[in-house]
Amino acid sequence: MALLFRIQILASVFNGSFQKRAGKSNKINAVLLLLFLIVGGAAFIWSFQNAEERIHIPVGSVHGVWIDDMFWLTMVVIGIVFVITQILLFYYSYRYQYKDEKRAYFFPHNNKLEIIWTMIPAVVMALLVFKGWKTWTKITDPAPREAMVVEIVGKQFNWIVRYPGTDNALGNVKTSLIDATNELGIDFSDQRSVDDIVPSEIHIPKGKPVLFKIRSRDVIHSFYLPHFRTQMHAVPGMPTKFWFVPTKTTADMATETGNPDFKYELVCNQICGANHFAMRAVVIVDEPEDYTKWLESQKAFVADKPDLLKNIKAPQGVVLETQGKEAGKTSL
């Protein structure tokens, strides 16, 4: 059968019928490619507009605006190139379709053209990389001295948060001290640890620099706050950090989005195990005065765990639970 088919093709080439069929087929394909350009372009525009709200979620931090500016600048540049190249690709397929009376122009090489289409993309890419480097440098600069420090620890499968107490300093931690009660491995022989707070919620103040010190207890997690455009890996044995300035409270964002149930969400976007889906937490952004009230209402981690305070010397100005009971007064 294959031999008969080849013979039929050769016969059609010799009698000219093959060229007629090829010409007709090329014309149909050229028209279809042009229609694909029009229909595909319209579908592309519609899909982008339809998904715009999901693509561009509201931003709630200072550097998030920088990230968005860099992202959309890159999108515009590559979008222009994409549109131009696709239009030329499908238009040329239609315009220069096969015809018997036409012959292809032999164009082997052109040094000037090679230099132009190599240099233009190289210069554009260099400018985009330079802008990205400047933005990343601003984001990763050392946190201001007045930045509020919060420690966040990822473990399979939840996040644990720790705040410094009245001394405004986090105490040391040791992995050898981790147990069912002391999940962070806080070293209470370090006096700075005694007033540390381990709350069930994550609160941060609006308009103030916040430095997150990030750790992992087991595998690689990812500290990801999409509305703040914040992401940093939590790596076992290698503490990382990220600072930013929130610009909208949770209530502000609820009003902006029209969603009264809006919540800032902390998620892990590294697949860290079977229950990866549970690596979620809510971050509440308060007005500064509300944040201060919330923080003052929190008890130190050791306040109701006197067993952890045995043989520990309290820092100056801090009364331990056991000492408070002996003196007949409220403590921590």
Side-chain angles (χ1 to χ4, degrees), residues 22-40 89-99:
K24 184 177 180 180
S25 175
N26 272 294
K27 183 176 291 187
I28 293 172
N29 287 332
V31 172
L32 288 175
L33 284 169
L34 198 60
L35 287 174
F36 181 82
L37 170 65
I38 297 169
V39 175
L89 173 65
F90 290 100
Y91 171 72
Y92 283 175
S93 298
Y94 173 81
R95 176 70 177 80
Y96 299 105
Q97 60 185 277
Y98 170 80
K99 292 181 180 178

Side-chain angles (χ1 to χ4, degrees), residues 48-58:
F48 186 83
Q49 291 178 336
N50 186 57
E52 186 175 6
E53 289 186 4
R54 297 189 295 276
I55 293 173
H56 187 58
I57 61 175

Side-chain angles (χ1 to χ4, degrees), residues 116-150:
I116 290 173
W117 71 33
T118 300
M119 290 302 298
I120 291 177
V123 170
V124 172
M125 286 299 297
L127 292 174
L128 289 175
V129 169
F130 179 72
K131 178 173 176 57
W133 171 76
K134 284 185 63 179
T135 301
W136 184 244
T137 300
K138 287 195 295 183
I139 291 171
T140 55
D141 276 346
R145 293 177 62 88
E146 70 276 11
M148 187 199 80
V149 177
V150 182

Side-chain angles (χ1 to χ4, degrees), residues 97-310:
Q97 60 185 277
Y98 170 80
K99 292 181 180 178
D100 286 337
E101 65 275 12
K102 286 188 175 182
R103 291 293 177 268
Y105 176 64
F106 183 65
F107 190 76
H109 188 68
N110 187 303
N111 287 332
K112 184 177 180 180
L113 189 59
E114 292 279 352
I115 292 172
I116 290 173
W117 71 33
T118 300
M119 290 302 298
I120 291 177
V123 170
V124 172
M125 286 299 297
L127 292 174
L128 289 175
V129 169
F130 179 72
K131 178 173 176 57
W133 171 76
K134 284 185 63 179
T135 301
W136 184 244
T137 300
K138 287 195 295 183
I139 291 171
T140 55
D141 276 346
R145 293 177 62 88
E146 70 276 11
M148 187 199 80
V149 177
V150 182
E151 182 183 59
I152 189 83
V153 178
K155 74 177 184 67
Q156 294 174 313
F157 293 94
N158 68 297
W159 298 98
I160 310 171
V161 62
R162 179 168 65 131
Y163 290 76
T166 53
D167 61 358
N168 201 33
L170 290 170
N172 290 331
V173 293
K174 294 180 179 179
T175 55
S176 59
L177 298 176
I178 293 175
D179 57 28
T181 302
N182 186 6
E183 290 190 293
L184 293 175
I186 303 172
D187 179 8
F188 291 106
S189 64
D190 179 2
Q191 294 186 355
R192 296 172 301 174
S193 302
V194 178
D195 62 348
D196 286 355
I197 303 165
V198 183
S200 58
E201 295 181 333
I202 305 174
H203 285 248
I204 56 177
K206 170 185 173 182
K208 305 289 184 181
V210 180
L211 172 62
F212 277 102
K213 293 187 173 182
I214 305 161
R215 294 192 294 120
S216 172
R217 262 185 35 169
D218 35 52
V219 300
I220 294 178
H221 301 283
S222 185
F223 174 82
Y224 179 46
L225 294 164
H227 287 89
F228 300 119
R229 309 300 192 264
T230 298
Q231 178 173 318
M232 181 61 69
H233 284 346
V235 184
M238 190 179 77
T240 55
K241 58 187 177 181
F242 200 106
W243 77 274
F244 64 98
V245 180
T247 57
K248 299 172 185 175
T249 66
T250 300
D252 293 338
M253 193 64 82
T255 301
E256 180 178 332
T257 59
N259 177 15
D261 299 321
F262 174 85
K263 293 180 176 63
Y264 287 113
E265 189 176 28
L266 164 63
V267 296
C268 172
N269 64 4
Q270 292 287 322
I271 299 178
C272 56
N275 293 324
H276 161 71
F277 66 90
M279 292 288 295
R280 306 171 72 178
V282 173
V283 177
I284 301 169
V285 181
D286 298 314
E287 293 290 351
E289 57 274 15
D290 294 331
Y291 168 77
T292 301
K293 291 178 183 177
W294 172 83
L295 189 61
E296 290 175 348
S297 70
Q298 302 302 304
K299 288 185 177 181
F301 180 65
V302 295
D304 56 355
K305 300 175 179 63
D307 290 343
L308 294 174
L309 301 177
K310 292 178 180 178

